[in-house]
Amino acid sequence: MTGSMFTPQAPLGSIPGPVEPTPSALATLAPLALSDVSLTTGFLGDWQRRSAARSLPYCVGRLDGAGALTNLRRVTGEADGDFENMWFADSDIYKTLEAAAWQLGATPDNAELRTFVDTTAALLAKAQAEDGYLNSYRMLKEPDRRWEALHWSHELYCAGHLIQAAVAAARSGVGAEVVTVARRLADLVVERFSTVDAVDGHPEIETALVELYRVTGHRPYLDQAKRFVDLRGRGLLDGERFGSAYLQDHEPVRDTDSVTGHVVRQLYLLAGVVDVAVETHDETLLAAARRLWDDAFGAKTYVTGAQGSRHRDEAFGDPYELPPDRAYGETCAAIASFHWNWRMLLATGEVRYADEMERALYNVIAGSTALDGEHFFYSNTLHLRSGHDGSHEDAPSGRLPWYSCACCPPNLARLLASLSGYLLTTDHSGLQVHLYAAGDVRTTVDGHDVHVAVRTDYPWDGRVVLTVTTDAAVTLSLRVPRWATEVRLDGDVVEARDWYVQVQRDWSCGATVTLDLPMAPRIIAPHPRIDAVRGCVAVARGPLVYAVEQADLPAGVTLEDVRIDPGAPIAAGRLPDIPVTLTVAGAVETAESDELYPAAARTHTEPLELTAIPYFLWGNRTPGPMRVWIPVTTG
Amino acid sequence: MTGSMFTPQAPLGSIPGPVEPTPSALATLAPLALSDVSLTTGFLGDWQRRSAARSLPYCVGRLDGAGALTNLRRVTGEADGDFENMWFADSDIYKTLEAAAWQLGATPDNAELRTFVDTTAALLAKAQAEDGYLNSYRMLKEPDRRWEALHWSHELYCAGHLIQAAVAAARSGVGAEVVTVARRLADLVVERFSTVDAVDGHPEIETALVELYRVTGHRPYLDQAKRFVDLRGRGLLDGERFGSAYLQDHEPVRDTDSVTGHVVRQLYLLAGVVDVAVETHDETLLAAARRLWDDAFGAKTYVTGAQGSRHRDEAFGDPYELPPDRAYGETCAAIASFHWNWRMLLATGEVRYADEMERALYNVIAGSTALDGEHFFYSNTLHLRSGHDGSHEDAPSGRLPWYSCACCPPNLARLLASLSGYLLTTDHSGLQVHLYAAGDVRTTVDGHDVHVAVRTDYPWDGRVVLTVTTDAAVTLSLRVPRWATEVRLDGDVVEARDWYVQVQRDWSCGATVTLDLPMAPRIIAPHPRIDAVRGCVAVARGPLVYAVEQADLPAGVTLEDVRIDPGAPIAAGRLPDIPVTLTVAGAVETAESDELYPAAARTHTEPLELTAIPYFLWGNRTPGPMRVWIPVTTG
């Protein structure tokens, strides 16, 4: 876990996951191959299988018919009619394709998925122009405007997602035609942009080109990615309606110390920034990413890991501007945050990045999909008010089957299909476990085979039992989450809060390590500068943030009137489909007057026992109000 | 002040102000003529003169050059180039024209203004199509799309503002050509829309047509206004990006009980709704307006009178969703609220409407213009955060000289030029004073001359001295604001909170009445359902809400860390250009840890004496953070 460089050695025939720094990259940790980890029954494994069984086929189905694929068929002449969906709808295809490629790596005999990949690859190859250009919107609607109005066109954004799909296809060994198509387009991008000062309004091409470089070793891809990062912030884009900060084009990355503008744009850019920094050994760029991380996670992140405080421009707010009811918290932003933190973790080995991955994964990302796997949140609020007007998909009262901007569902599918690649890392002599999940790990550390069997019911239970078998002197590092106050290793309390417990054993005959993370329910208080939740606390247990739903309140009680006693003991219980609920003493506090601005707010208080459920499960029973931050009882 | 119908009798040669119900209208109170009231030195009089001397000429200047007038000159062939500014920029001209007409009514020898009115009227007449159509955007850009895409085109909105200008011109007796142009357009509107089911995406035409009916007696204008009101809420408009509730087209007015969507659209519609209701004796429609008022002012209005909780769609939020930092509070919305409340007051005679006029006038509306009269807020926040990114005109850090959507400055100009018309009313035997301002009133009540001299330094001082002279048995009604806890009449405490003190005297030789409103500084607490300001209070004095500015804090103290002791005495003081400041004990409370979500928010507290200034004056010294709602000291 030092800052030294380290050469990962993946076993032959393995499937590397997303984000695979080259041997010469600036990296503290190396990812395991996707094929090194298989998740068994448990929270993450079950989720991953649900996504594969329900969400991914659902996304594939949504691309067909009147969906995004039809636009490509219009390009090839196989379909009639006018271009449909958002102008960047090609990217929905590419993200689904990426998800399918990762999934086929794990379950290669999924015939339906393979057909989807093969037919889509063939369609893409047929639709691609002779010179490699591919963008169904421009080809159908504005064939003469290629690469124009880049602040808006999303051409390079779509190209980036195609390249990511190709990277997944190359690593998984499926869909070679996708790789061919993507490389032809990538080569055209390099040809076109290596001598022109231009960037795309929506970052994505940067990280994609670095990954393509990692797969192919073709240096011009990396150079072009670096060029896009270097050129950003020089006002090359038309700021149009929301200004250049919306596009992160107001200040060069190396000079800025504040995350701004459209959250997904900002975070995709930062993934690319870290990728370029580690591959080009650019310490200044990495330092900028650290500064921006401090700003993002020190003052602009919700307790659920969501980011984006403004619906207007899907943007970061000012420092500490974190309204729970108007949280934007786009699902794609949370996925982007997960991606960025993983890159920071690989580069630095610092536990804080894994902490934020866990926060986002178990709360905002987990909550964005319904238990049926076929309904989604685009925006992830922390407070659905009584009387909320949910008539618009911008802030619906529950998860919707699809969105006119359908970026999130396929993004979830690609994350879940590649999730096994984000849980553990290795360095020259150790194996690090960042996220706990029941599963089996078969990898190599410093050339030696290592097998780890992980048995746990995390996050419902805090016990993680790891059985390690290897003939090498491997150091096993187990992450101690920031929220964990007392951690036990094989029954003994260990001092390692907010870092890693390091275990060295003789693993040759298999040795078992038992980690106990504290699962006592706890109170979370907001930083006093977060005005929007002053006088409130949240309830949490392990990595899970809890929420109170109207559904669990007695008849006649309105959620807005509910209070919590922050000093009262919190008891665990359960409800159907909710493994662990939390119950705590509270009150119903109703205003004695309807006056909006009285001289004093007199209230009437009645005691109430309050039941909270994991935030990620809200809205799965009956639709209705919900809140994470609960006002505390007064007096 | 009963609900009976009442016939106003304006003296010959007088200038009626805006909103002049016909003798047969359903009305409890009648407005005084604009020419009946002249404001002398004092808060409102000074403001009105500043607007006339600075803001109105400034708006006139802004219309010229590359401004909105050039578009009309392009229509007539007097200018080259492409259409500029917003597609509804004609309305900026019309609002300025309306302001100029009212102003010329008061100061007829203003040669510059008269030239502006005359040349603009001539230009409009020249630009108008043979059949009466007039809209520079459509005429220049899309001549074949007249009255198409009404959800967006603003054609009827612009027509409405032209008609309002014509109404002002007709009543003031200036710019007869404007009246001719407007009537030709109004006749075309009636011809086109009396048989077609259609409404405009942006209400305004409704109230305008009723007013034109009031001026002309031409019944088809009223019928058409009623038709537009009746047809709204039937889904005739394309809801497009923000949905039909944004356009108040989701539900017929008579059925709805919630203000929704774009605030200015909603409130302009409601002004028209009341106008139609009173002229057609439609009690159901008036009842709907009352229900919507209860919703707006019971759960969706800021303590400054601002309305609009969302920047995304300039919209009302859910009930009690009133974030101070992201308050939209558009200036035009506050003006629209003032207009709507005036109509409700005339119809019902209920004091609550005058209370809300006062709240908006002295806080959000007064604050929207800089003391120089040439810088404006479009959006009126209640909390400018430390670290705020004010780079966009959507939420700038201070008042700007102009906006790409320039609706607010000319709207302010027309309000201020007609302000004298909104202060007093008469009924069959009385005179009601709703808003207190130093000035002279010469009017008639039931055919008898009445003269009232009002001497006051309100709102800086609570004493209002009224000398009434008339030979009639006039009842003088003096409004007691909702915030006034102890009111004295000629030195004696009177019981009349939240209503009117009624005074009957022998006025024949002139009699003086002295009203003393309590000017002790006071604390305002928010309704407990307003989550965004939980644990905070505001400070107020009289009608003025106060704010704390970074400018008045000691070096090194950040506004976000400031706390107030809500039980401490509040002392009055003064600063240069700020007649009354308020000082109160408070604290600086800094977090002991940077952690965003700690288990407990431990803080370090130091005492601090806090100075607050009237909200409307914020941002006039140095730019910097400001907040209205101050967190209270804990422990």
Side-chain angles (χ1 to χ4, degrees):
Chain A
M1 209 92 58
T2 65
S4 67
M5 277 164 48
F6 154 73
T7 308
Q9 300 173 339
L12 227 66
S14 79
I15 298 173
V19 198
E20 182 78 10
T22 60
S24 65
L26 195 71
T28 303
L29 305 175
L32 264 59
L34 205 56
S35 48
D36 289 356
V37 183
S38 64
L39 295 176
T40 49
T41 298
F43 191 98
L44 296 190
D46 293 349
W47 181 10
Q48 191 177 50
R49 274 181 295 279
R50 186 169 66 241
S51 179
R54 307 292 302 266
S55 307
L56 179 51
Y58 182 77
C59 287
V60 169
R62 280 282 182 169
L63 294 177
D64 226 319
L69 280 170
T70 315
N71 293 324
L72 284 176
R73 293 196 192 103
R74 289 182 178 114
V75 174
T76 62
E78 293 160 71
D80 295 326
D82 206 10
F83 181 92
E84 282 171 293
N85 297 299
M86 290 285 180
W87 64 99
F88 47 83
D90 285 358
S91 62
D92 300 338
I93 303 171
Y94 302 148
K95 281 190 275 192
T96 309
L97 205 52
E98 183 188 337
W102 294 128
Q103 188 57 43
L104 283 170
T107 55
D109 44 7
N110 185 324
E112 258 178 78
L113 266 194
R114 193 164 290 269
T115 304
F116 166 69
V117 170
D118 290 346
T119 56
T120 305
L123 182 61
L124 290 170
K126 200 170 165 195
Q128 188 167 38
E130 208 154 311
D131 65 352
Y133 185 83
L134 183 55
N135 182 287
S136 70
Y137 179 82
R138 276 275 153 91
M139 292 169 97
L140 289 168
K141 300 283 286 182
E142 305 176 326
D144 299 334
R145 296 196 64 207
R146 275 191 191 185
W147 312 123
E148 277 182 35
L150 282 176
H151 66 284
W152 162 93
S153 78
H154 287 63
E155 282 160 290
L156 290 165
Y157 167 82
C158 290
H161 276 301
L162 172 59
I163 292 168
Q164 295 270 25
V167 166
R171 289 184 180 148
S172 304
V174 295
E177 206 167 7
V178 180
V179 183
T180 308
V181 171
R183 286 208 64 174
R184 289 185 62 209
L185 179 54
D187 292 340
L188 180 69
V189 167
V190 170
E191 185 192 317
R192 175 71 178 72
F193 290 99
S194 56
T195 54
V196 177
D197 286 358
V199 297
D200 196 85
H202 199 314
E204 166 61 26
I205 187 73
E206 301 81 0
T207 185
L209 284 172
V210 177
E211 280 277 279
L212 189 60
Y213 157 71
R214 287 166 173 167
V215 165
T216 61
H218 188 59
R219 178 86 196 187
Y221 298 148
L222 175 61
D223 294 341
Q224 185 58 49
K226 175 174 154 50
R227 200 170 147 70
F228 282 138
V229 167
D230 290 347
L231 286 171
R232 202 158 199 101
R234 299 179 196 279
L236 295 172
L237 295 165
D238 176 356
E240 231 185 29
R241 191 165 158 227
F242 295 131
S244 58
Y246 170 80
L247 304 166
Q248 296 84 42
D249 195 36
H250 60 305
E251 209 173 26
V253 177
R254 287 178 185 76
D255 300 340
T256 190
D257 52 13
S258 167
V259 289
T260 54
H262 188 265
V263 180
V264 177
R265 282 172 167 79
Q266 174 72 83
L267 299 182
Y268 279 16
L269 175 63
L270 282 164
V273 161
V274 180
D275 285 337
V276 168
V278 300
E279 295 296 346
T280 64
H281 287 225
D282 188 333
E283 298 274 10
T284 311
L285 207 49
L286 195 59
R290 279 178 180 276
R291 275 200 316 276
L292 289 165
W293 191 94
D294 287 344
D295 182 52
F297 293 92
K300 295 175 182 173
T301 301
Y302 286 97
V303 72
T304 56
Q307 291 173 325
S309 306
R310 297 179 180 175
H311 278 245
R312 176 177 173 271
D313 42 3
E314 310 186 306
F316 282 109
D318 290 331
Y320 303 103
E321 179 193 319
L322 293 162
D325 50 354
R326 290 294 283 171
Y328 197 67
E330 187 181 335
T331 300
C332 287
I335 294 168
S337 166
F338 191 85
H339 287 160
W340 178 31
N341 273 294
W342 176 245
R343 287 161 171 81
M344 296 298 282
L345 178 64
L346 295 181
T348 68
E350 290 171 20
V351 70
R352 70 184 77 183
Y353 305 114
D355 277 338
E356 292 300 340
M357 290 172 71
E358 182 178 80
R359 185 201 293 274
L361 187 65
Y362 282 96
N363 297 289
V364 57
I365 299 176
S368 66
T369 309
L371 288 179
D372 69 7
E374 299 184 354
H375 290 78
F376 309 92
F377 279 127
Y378 180 110
S379 162
N380 293 273
T381 190
L382 281 79
H383 181 185
L384 187 85
R385 292 179 167 278
S386 302
H388 175 65
D389 170 13
S391 64
H392 198 281
E393 66 174 21
D394 169 60
S397 297
R399 296 173 187 86
L400 300 181
W402 206 246
Y403 288 84
S404 54
C405 176
C407 49
C408 301
N411 218 349
L412 284 161
R414 71 178 182 132
L415 176 69
L416 268 296
S418 59
L419 188 64
S420 320
Y422 291 102
L423 311 180
L424 302 95
T425 56
T426 59
D427 62 6
H428 48 87
S429 65
L431 182 76
Q432 300 82 34
V433 188
H434 305 287
L435 298 177
Y436 298 107
D440 284 286
V441 181
R442 289 176 190 282
T443 189
T444 58
V445 175
D446 200 22
H448 298 266
D449 287 341
V450 180
H451 172 232
V452 187
V454 186
R455 301 294 171 260
T456 183
D457 196 22
Y458 189 85
W460 305 118
D461 188 82
R463 174 157 292 188
V464 185
V465 179
L466 306 103
T467 304
V468 182
T469 312
T470 179
D471 58 7
V474 166
T475 301
L476 180 70
S477 295
L478 304 175
R479 174 176 148 267
V480 177
R482 191 167 183 77
W483 51 262
T485 44
E486 191 188 78
V487 175
R488 286 173 188 267
L489 191 72
D490 294 331
D492 299 325
V493 173
V494 290
E495 286 303 322
R497 195 185 168 197
D498 200 13
W499 199 243
Y500 291 83
V501 181
Q502 300 200 325
V503 191
Q504 285 168 323
R505 297 268 167 90
D506 177 357
W507 312 107
S508 54
C509 301
T512 295
V513 174
T514 301
L515 180 75
D516 281 303
L517 296 169
M519 284 290 153
R522 64 186 195 282
I523 292 288
I524 298 177
H527 190 288
R529 284 196 180 178
I530 309 179
D531 294 285
V533 294
R534 186 179 309 290
C536 296
V537 296
V539 183
R541 181 175 177 275
L544 298 178
V545 172
Y546 275 63
V548 176
E549 275 199 300
Q550 182 72 46
D552 295 312
L553 296 178
V557 172
T558 301
L559 182 59
E560 266 62 37
D561 295 336
V562 161
R563 303 289 179 268
I564 187 173
D565 177 353
I570 309 174
R574 61 179 301 143
L575 279 169
D577 290 327
I578 301 176
V580 183
T581 59
L582 299 179
T583 305
V584 59
V588 183
E589 197 175 313
T590 44
E592 285 188 359
S593 144
D594 283 346
E595 202 171 349
L596 201 51
Y597 300 110
R602 269 179 266 282
T603 55
H604 176 78
T605 302
E606 295 270 357
L608 175 78
E609 195 183 66
L610 210 57
T611 295
I613 65 160
Y615 167 77
F616 82 91
L617 286 172
W618 87 274
N620 272 293
R621 296 175 297 174
T622 56
M626 175 279 301
R627 70 187 300 166
V628 168
W629 291 103
I630 318 293
V632 302
T633 46
T634 51
Chain B
M1 210 92 58
T2 65
S4 69
M5 278 165 46
F6 154 72
T7 308
Q9 300 175 338
L12 227 66
S14 79
I15 298 174
V19 198
E20 183 77 9
T22 61
S24 66
L26 194 71
T28 303
L29 306 175
L32 265 58
L34 206 57
S35 48
D36 288 356
V37 182
S38 64
L39 296 175
T40 50
T41 297
F43 191 97
L44 296 189
D46 292 349
W47 181 11
Q48 191 177 52
R49 276 182 292 280
R50 187 170 65 240
S51 180
R54 307 292 302 268
S55 307
L56 179 51
Y58 181 78
C59 288
V60 169
R62 280 282 181 169
L63 294 177
D64 226 320
L69 280 169
T70 314
N71 293 324
L72 285 175
R73 294 197 192 101
R74 289 181 177 116
V75 174
T76 62
E78 293 161 71
D80 296 325
D82 205 10
F83 182 91
E84 283 171 292
N85 298 298
M86 291 286 181
W87 64 99
F88 47 83
D90 284 358
S91 62
D92 300 339
I93 303 171
Y94 301 148
K95 281 190 277 191
T96 309
L97 204 53
E98 182 187 337
W102 294 128
Q103 189 57 43
L104 282 169
T107 55
D109 44 6
N110 184 324
E112 257 177 77
L113 267 194
R114 193 165 290 270
T115 304
F116 164 70
V117 170
D118 291 346
T119 56
T120 305
L123 183 60
L124 290 170
K126 198 169 166 196
Q128 188 166 38
E130 208 153 308
D131 65 353
Y133 186 83
L134 184 55
N135 181 288
S136 71
Y137 179 82
R138 276 274 153 92
M139 292 168 98
L140 289 168
K141 300 283 285 182
E142 306 176 325
D144 299 334
R145 297 197 63 208
R146 276 191 190 186
W147 312 123
E148 278 182 34
L150 282 175
H151 67 283
W152 162 92
S153 79
H154 287 62
E155 281 161 291
L156 290 165
Y157 167 82
C158 289
H161 276 300
L162 172 59
I163 292 167
Q164 294 271 25
V167 166
R171 289 184 180 148
S172 303
V174 295
E177 206 168 9
V178 178
V179 183
T180 309
V181 170
R183 286 207 64 173
R184 290 185 61 210
L185 180 54
D187 291 340
L188 181 69
V189 167
V190 170
E191 185 192 318
R192 175 72 177 73
F193 290 99
S194 56
T195 54
V196 177
D197 286 358
V199 298
D200 196 86
H202 199 314
E204 166 61 27
I205 187 73
E206 299 81 0
T207 187
L209 283 173
V210 178
E211 279 278 277
L212 189 60
Y213 158 71
R214 287 164 174 168
V215 166
T216 61
H218 187 59
R219 178 87 196 186
Y221 298 148
L222 175 61
D223 294 341
Q224 185 59 47
K226 174 174 156 48
R227 200 172 148 69
F228 282 138
V229 167
D230 289 347
L231 287 171
R232 204 162 198 97
R234 300 182 194 277
L236 294 172
L237 295 165
D238 175 357
E240 233 186 28
R241 191 165 158 228
F242 295 131
S244 59
Y246 169 81
L247 304 165
Q248 296 84 41
D249 194 35
H250 61 304
E251 208 173 27
V253 176
R254 286 176 186 78
D255 301 339
T256 191
D257 52 13
S258 166
V259 289
T260 54
H262 188 266
V263 181
V264 177
R265 282 172 167 79
Q266 173 72 83
L267 299 182
Y268 279 17
L269 175 63
L270 282 165
V273 161
V274 181
D275 285 339
V276 168
V278 300
E279 295 296 346
T280 64
H281 287 224
D282 189 333
E283 298 275 8
T284 312
L285 206 50
L286 195 59
R290 279 178 181 275
R291 275 200 314 277
L292 290 166
W293 191 94
D294 287 344
D295 182 53
F297 293 92
K300 296 176 180 172
T301 301
Y302 285 96
V303 72
T304 57
Q307 290 173 325
S309 306
R310 298 178 180 176
H311 279 246
R312 175 176 174 271
D313 41 4
E314 311 186 307
F316 281 110
D318 291 330
Y320 303 104
E321 179 192 320
L322 292 162
D325 50 353
R326 291 293 284 172
Y328 196 68
E330 187 180 336
T331 300
C332 286
I335 294 168
S337 166
F338 191 85
H339 287 161
W340 178 31
N341 273 294
W342 177 244
R343 285 161 171 80
M344 296 297 282
L345 178 64
L346 294 181
T348 68
E350 291 170 20
V351 70
R352 69 185 76 182
Y353 306 114
D355 278 338
E356 292 300 339
M357 291 173 71
E358 181 178 83
R359 185 202 293 275
L361 187 65
Y362 281 96
N363 296 289
V364 57
I365 299 176
S368 66
T369 309
L371 288 179
D372 69 7
E374 299 183 353
H375 290 77
F376 309 92
F377 279 126
Y378 181 111
S379 163
N380 292 272
T381 191
L382 281 79
H383 181 186
L384 187 85
R385 292 180 166 278
S386 304
H388 176 65
D389 169 14
S391 63
H392 199 280
E393 67 173 22
D394 167 62
S397 297
R399 297 174 187 84
L400 300 181
W402 206 246
Y403 287 84
S404 54
C405 175
C407 51
C408 300
N411 216 350
L412 285 161
R414 71 179 181 131
L415 175 70
L416 269 296
S418 59
L419 188 63
S420 321
Y422 291 102
L423 312 181
L424 303 96
T425 56
T426 60
D427 62 8
H428 49 87
S429 65
L431 183 74
Q432 301 81 35
V433 188
H434 306 286
L435 298 177
Y436 298 108
D440 284 287
V441 182
R442 289 177 191 282
T443 189
T444 58
V445 174
D446 201 22
H448 298 267
D449 285 342
V450 180
H451 172 232
V452 187
V454 187
R455 301 293 171 259
T456 182
D457 196 21
Y458 189 84
W460 305 119
D461 189 81
R463 174 158 291 188
V464 185
V465 180
L466 305 103
T467 305
V468 182
T469 313
T470 179
D471 57 9
V474 166
T475 302
L476 180 69
S477 295
L478 304 174
R479 174 176 149 268
V480 177
R482 190 167 184 75
W483 51 261
T485 43
E486 190 188 80
V487 176
R488 285 171 188 269
L489 191 72
D490 294 330
D492 298 324
V493 172
V494 289
E495 285 303 322
R497 192 181 172 202
D498 200 14
W499 199 244
Y500 291 84
V501 181
Q502 301 200 325
V503 193
Q504 286 168 321
R505 297 267 167 91
D506 176 358
W507 312 108
S508 55
C509 301
T512 294
V513 174
T514 300
L515 179 76
D516 281 302
L517 296 169
M519 284 290 153
R522 65 185 194 282
I523 291 289
I524 298 177
H527 190 286
R529 284 196 180 179
I530 310 179
D531 295 284
V533 294
R534 187 180 310 289
C536 296
V537 296
V539 183
R541 181 176 178 275
L544 298 178
V545 172
Y546 275 63
V548 176
E549 275 199 302
Q550 182 72 46
D552 293 313
L553 295 178
V557 172
T558 302
L559 181 58
E560 266 63 38
D561 295 336
V562 162
R563 304 289 179 269
I564 187 173
D565 177 353
I570 309 174
R574 61 178 300 141
L575 280 169
D577 290 328
I578 301 177
V580 182
T581 59
L582 299 179
T583 304
V584 59
V588 182
E589 197 175 312
T590 44
E592 286 188 359
S593 144
D594 283 346
E595 201 172 349
L596 201 52
Y597 300 111
R602 268 180 265 283
T603 55
H604 176 78
T605 302
E606 295 270 357
L608 174 77
E609 194 182 67
L610 211 56
T611 295
I613 66 159
Y615 167 77
F616 81 92
L617 286 171
W618 87 275
N620 272 293
R621 296 174 296 174
T622 56
M626 174 280 299
R627 70 187 301 167
V628 168
W629 292 102
I630 317 293
V632 301
T633 46
T634 51

